[in-house]
């Protein structure tokens, strides 16, 4: 069974569109994260939720809106996509805030045309 | 703020060579330190960790020692294999992990037969 699963794996879309990436974890963890990996492989945290509540919100444009309907899901919605949003987005989870290890999904490669 | 600096690749070695990937950090508190590995097309996996000074993390023949005096956590392996080819990320977790993981820029390791 996949522990942290994200869909879709690949997403190709036009500038200006709105898109969502879904993430689900079946580990029973309380904390979930979104990371962005740019073309140079640099990974940076975007958001963190603990038990459906936002605990980390880095300086991310407000076009990015995470939503956590329950503690097993953390979806990422992006409005008005821009060329600079092209990246690989990773979802992760941990047992609790600061818990290690963090378990990562396989990533969603977003390409903006 | 916290930061992690690691040698940038790609690092190309022959099979059975000795590997060192340097990692140094700056942090305000007493961080936990990690090495994550990303195989092609996959998400990140925790390779090893150390939570306090002088701790040695080890896994799959890889080792790293938490050196507080030099603020370093260098990754080593005595004899690399082609299957070790991947991107390796040094990371830290500070403030009890409330700020998520801070990653280095990753080192792409290529092992040639």
């Amino acid at each position: 069974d996949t522990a942290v699963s994200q869909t879709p794996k690949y997403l190709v879309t036009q500038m200006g569109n709105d898109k969502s990436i879904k993430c689900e974890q079946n580990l029973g963890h309380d904390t979930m994260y979104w990371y962005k990996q740019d073309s140079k492989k640099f990974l940076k945290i975007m958001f963190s939720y603990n038990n459906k509540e936002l605990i980390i919100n880095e300086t991310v444009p407000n076009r990015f809106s995470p939503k956590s309907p329950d503690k097993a899901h953390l979806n990422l919605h992006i409005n008005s996509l821009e060329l600079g949003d092209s990246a690989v987005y990773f979802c992760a989870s941990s047992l609790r805030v600061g818990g290690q290890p963090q378990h990562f999904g396989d990533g969603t490669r977003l390409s903006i045309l | 703020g916290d930061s992690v600096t690691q040698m940038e690749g790609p690092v190309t070695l022959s099979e059975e060579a000795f590997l060192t990937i340097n990692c140094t950090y700056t942090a305000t508190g007493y961080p936990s330190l990690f090495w994550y590995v990303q195989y092609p097309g996959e998400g990140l996996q925790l390779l090893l960790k150390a939570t306090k000074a002088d701790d040695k993390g080890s896994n799959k023949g890889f080792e790293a020692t938490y050196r507080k005096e030099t603020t370093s956590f260098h990754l080593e392996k005595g004899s690399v294999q082609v299957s070790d080819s991947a991107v390796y990320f040094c990371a830290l977790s500070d403030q009890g992990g409330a700020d998520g993981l801070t990653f280095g820029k990753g080192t792409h390791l290529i092992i040639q037969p």
Side-chain angles (χ1 to χ4, degrees):
Chain A
D1 283 344
T2 303
V4 180
S5 58
Q6 320 178 202
T7 53
K9 192 173 176 65
Y10 300 97
L11 185 52
V12 181
T13 190
Q14 304 269 9
M15 221 165 36
N17 284 350
D18 303 338
K19 289 293 178 186
S20 292
I21 307 172
K22 295 185 176 181
C23 179
E24 176 181 6
Q25 53 95 4
N26 63 6
L27 297 167
H29 288 172
D30 281 349
T31 309
M32 296 185 72
Y33 311 82
W34 276 108
Y35 288 86
K36 179 180 180 180
Q37 186 177 43
D38 63 23
S39 58
K40 296 183 179 178
K41 298 285 190 183
F42 185 53
L43 264 165
K44 187 169 170 59
I45 191 163
M46 300 173 68
F47 302 102
S48 172
Y49 270 69
N50 185 62
N51 216 354
K52 302 193 297 176
E53 291 192 11
L54 179 68
I55 57 171
I56 297 173
N57 183 352
E58 291 297 308
T59 49
V60 176
N62 58 14
R63 297 181 295 103
F64 290 78
S65 53
K67 285 189 172 50
S68 182
D70 55 62
K71 73 174 192 177
H73 295 84
L74 181 61
N75 304 323
L76 184 65
H77 189 75
I78 316 170
N79 288 329
S80 303
L81 281 158
E82 301 177 357
L83 287 175
D85 298 333
S86 294
V88 181
Y89 292 84
F90 286 99
C91 179
S93 72
S94 62
L95 189 59
R96 59 185 186 285
V97 175
Q100 293 295 336
Q102 290 187 15
H103 294 258
F104 283 78
D106 288 343
T108 296
R109 182 174 294 279
L110 174 62
S111 300
I112 309 302
L113 303 178
Chain B
D2 296 344
S3 67
V4 176
T5 302
Q6 60 182 108
M7 57 194 295
E8 294 191 32
V11 173
T12 304
L13 296 173
S14 297
E15 211 166 14
E16 299 183 4
F18 184 86
L19 169 71
T20 300
I21 301 178
N22 290 338
C23 171
T24 57
Y25 67 89
T26 58
T28 52
Y30 298 94
S32 296
L33 302 174
F34 309 87
W35 278 99
Y36 277 80
V37 58
Q38 183 180 26
Y39 297 103
E42 297 183 14
L44 281 76
Q45 303 172 28
L46 179 67
L47 181 60
L48 54 85
K49 68 177 183 180
T51 57
K52 61 183 189 298
D54 299 326
D55 267 2
K56 177 186 283 189
S58 61
N59 186 23
K60 299 182 181 180
F62 291 89
E63 292 183 341
T65 301
Y66 189 143
R67 301 283 188 205
K68 190 168 182 294
E69 64 276 13
T70 53
T71 62
S72 65
F73 193 54
H74 304 321
L75 183 68
E76 296 182 336
K77 185 174 185 180
S79 176
V80 291
Q81 306 300 313
V82 172
S83 57
D84 294 326
S85 299
V87 181
Y88 291 81
F89 292 90
C90 186
L92 69 83
S93 174
D94 202 359
Q95 306 294 341
D99 293 336
L101 284 167
T102 299
F103 285 93
K105 292 191 174 183
T107 301
H108 186 192
L109 175 65
I110 301 169
I111 307 301
Q112 296 177 333

